[in-house]
Amino acid sequence: MVLQNLDPMQTDNIQITLLRLKDGSRLLRLSESETGLALERTLNPNRPLLRQKQQLKALFESMIQRSEILVGA
């Protein structure tokens, strides 16, 4: 899997925020200040939070890696 090749220092800089919205739903936001990337997703209340967090973090790490490839090209 491509994510295994990521620099661990980059993934340590990911800030994860869990927000509860006025309507009662929850929003998971991942952001990384060095690249300026951010990703948000409304959580499914019928699925475990940890699993959704892991999936979103894997996607976000992939986005960071792609941005570095594009900038370095």
Side-chain angles (χ1 to χ4, degrees):
M1 185 174 207
V2 176
L3 297 178
Q4 294 174 352
N5 296 330
L6 283 176
D7 180 0
M9 295 299 288
Q10 295 168 339
T11 60
D12 289 343
N13 294 333
I14 296 174
Q15 180 180 1
I16 300 172
T17 308
L18 179 63
L19 302 168
R20 183 167 299 274
L21 304 177
K22 288 183 179 183
D23 65 1
S25 62
R26 295 182 298 172
L27 182 80
L28 188 61
R29 178 183 297 147
L30 283 76
S31 57
E32 203 276 325
S33 60
E34 189 174 320
T35 61
L37 290 173
L39 182 63
E40 295 180 340
R41 179 174 289 166
T42 303
L43 297 174
N44 181 342
N46 299 321
R47 293 187 52 223
L49 173 63
L50 182 59
R51 182 68 179 138
Q52 292 180 79
K53 178 182 167 185
Q54 290 169 336
Q55 290 176 333
L56 195 59
K57 187 173 181 191
L59 174 63
F60 192 66
E61 289 170 345
S62 176
M63 288 173 51
I64 290 172
Q65 185 178 30
R66 285 179 179 227
S67 73
E68 290 176 349
I69 291 170
L70 292 174
V71 170

